[in-house]
Amino acid sequence: MKLLAVGSVAFDAIETPFGKTGKILGGAATFIGLAASAMKTEVSLVSVVGGDFPQEYFDLLKSKNINIDGVEIIKNGKSFFWSGKYHNDLNSRDTLITEVNVLADFDPKIPEHSADAEVLLLGNLDPAVQLSVLDKMKKRPELVILDTMNFWMDIALENLMKIIAKTDVISINDEEARQLSGEYSLVKAAKKIREMGPKFVIIKKGEHGALLFHESKIFAIPALPLEDVFDPTGAGDTFAGGFAAYIAKKGKFDFETMKSALIIGSALASFTVEKFGTERIQNVTSEDLTDRINRFKELTTFEALV
Ligand code: AMP
């Protein structure tokens, strides 16, 4: 099945307890594309950058078989720039700078070849843009996956609720699920969020794994305990990209497929956090991925004891 993803393609500057970068390649759609590429799944990106975006980055994305026909270049504009600083535990961060630049007037253009994509991943962006992408599709995709964050709950709740109502799968973190639902219990939160529209609710819990809710069913996975966690930027986008890529590859939307997709998304996100920015995820081999999936299996399989 065809996979189309919309999100930011950007410059990031990151500070963690282990060091600091200058302006490097970032953006939600970038991580989504690289995750799909690591899954050997074709993906088309819809985004916008400025004339300052280096050819080297386009070449990198193209070399990973990521279709960027839908990435518009505004020659006299500047690319989106985000800068963040992580606290000592790496679980929380402060946004230092958000320069929206060309993303401010983003009018997404969907390439003809992708307007009938069966799987649409609406990466973390202004819900108004997410709504317009869905509107511009030739037909309603078979599966719409939404990634969002508390920032949009604070400033664009009305549009966010509109897009949530049109979504099949929503991916958010625990804090955001609580904010969106007003419930502390994640089980109650997921139930309320399902009542807003999505049949499937994914709640990410950072280094504590993720939960998948569907009807009365719950599936839980841990995060792989890693020796080196260096920079969590893009972990959520990588997760969503890997999840969507697996589903597009399988062409099935049932709970069992979603469970496997959750593992794939988490395995891929575990690479992203090992180095700054896209450095690790852009170099993941099939062997690396297989190895990590096997580690997930080892970590979670046991014999029934009674
Ligand atoms: P994550 O760590 O998964 O939350 O994603 C971080 C990525 O999201 C970075 O590469 C940023 O460039 C991008 N990002 C941060 N804030 C925004 C925003 N308001 N709109 C679009 N992309 C953003």
Side-chain angles (χ1 to χ4, degrees):
M1 283 185 174
K2 279 193 213 169
L3 170 61
L4 176 68
V6 58
S8 48
V9 170
F11 291 122
D12 286 352
I14 301 153
E15 199 175 328
T16 77
F18 313 110
K20 208 175 159 172
T21 70
K23 275 194 178 182
I24 58 171
L25 174 62
T30 304
F31 286 103
I32 290 169
L34 291 170
S37 171
M39 266 298 293
K40 306 269 177 276
T41 304
E42 275 176 39
V43 60
S44 285
L45 302 185
V46 168
S47 193
V48 63
V49 293
D52 56 351
F53 200 72
Q55 184 61 38
E56 175 200 340
Y57 290 164
F58 288 125
D59 292 344
L60 168 77
L61 296 174
K62 280 192 204 155
S63 76
K64 299 286 167 190
N65 215 8
I66 299 167
N67 189 303
I68 53 169
D69 295 348
V71 179
E72 190 186 356
I73 306 169
I74 309 275
K75 282 229 166 62
N76 51 5
K78 281 176 75 182
S79 304
F80 178 83
F81 171 57
W82 176 81
S83 172
K85 181 177 175 174
Y86 288 85
H87 303 154
N88 276 341
D89 66 357
L90 290 178
N91 271 333
S92 54
R93 71 183 178 202
D94 294 325
T95 290
L96 304 177
I97 305 170
T98 302
E99 286 175 15
V100 186
N101 298 331
V102 290
L103 219 51
D105 310 304
F106 182 29
D107 179 21
K109 318 262 183 323
I110 300 176
E112 178 65 24
H113 58 67
S114 294
D116 59 351
E118 291 88 355
V119 180
L120 172 64
L121 171 51
L122 299 170
N124 178 28
L125 266 187
D126 187 336
V129 175
Q130 294 176 321
L131 278 165
S132 93
V133 170
L134 189 54
D135 263 2
K136 287 177 185 171
M137 298 297 285
K138 234 183 248 163
K139 57 180 177 55
R140 201 233 182 233
E142 290 183 38
L143 194 78
V144 178
I145 305 167
L146 177 78
D147 191 10
T148 188
M149 68 192 287
N150 48 0
F151 180 70
W152 306 116
M153 294 172 200
D154 296 337
I155 68 158
L157 189 61
E158 205 181 315
N159 276 336
L160 182 62
M161 294 309 286
K162 279 190 200 157
I163 190 67
I164 289 177
K166 294 175 184 230
T167 292
D168 301 300
V169 185
I170 184 170
S171 171
I172 50 176
N173 73 29
D174 42 4
E175 231 178 89
E176 293 155 355
R178 289 185 172 120
Q179 180 173 345
L180 187 62
S181 64
E183 293 286 352
Y184 182 80
S185 150
L186 294 180
V187 177
K188 284 187 183 161
K191 193 168 173 224
K192 274 207 177 160
I193 296 169
R194 280 195 291 113
E195 285 163 7
M196 297 171 189
K199 295 183 281 295
F200 296 87
V201 174
I202 298 167
I203 300 184
K204 299 167 287 180
K205 299 191 297 166
E207 62 176 331
H208 304 299
L211 299 165
L212 170 68
F213 295 86
H214 176 58
E215 296 170 347
S216 58
K217 298 188 275 257
I218 306 179
F219 178 62
I221 61 166
L224 273 184
L226 295 173
E227 263 178 53
D228 300 307
V229 179
F230 202 74
D231 167 24
T233 308
D237 313 309
T238 306
F239 170 84
F243 179 89
Y246 181 81
I247 287 178
K249 200 166 192 171
K250 293 288 161 186
K252 291 197 290 191
F253 311 126
D254 55 287
F255 189 62
E256 289 306 310
T257 307
M258 302 264 175
K259 279 163 66 174
S260 304
L262 209 69
I263 300 277
I264 297 288
S266 301
L268 287 168
S270 77
F271 290 110
T272 292
V273 303
E274 284 180 337
K275 288 194 176 168
F276 269 130
T278 62
E279 211 180 318
R280 183 66 185 100
I281 189 69
Q282 73 189 48
N283 292 308
V284 170
T285 64
S286 302
E287 292 72 37
D288 291 336
L289 181 56
T290 307
D291 178 59
R292 237 163 242 195
I293 293 167
N294 287 338
R295 280 176 53 197
F296 254 106
K297 262 195 206 143
E298 276 167 31
L299 192 68
T300 52
T301 316
F302 61 92
E303 276 182 39
L305 301 177
V306 282

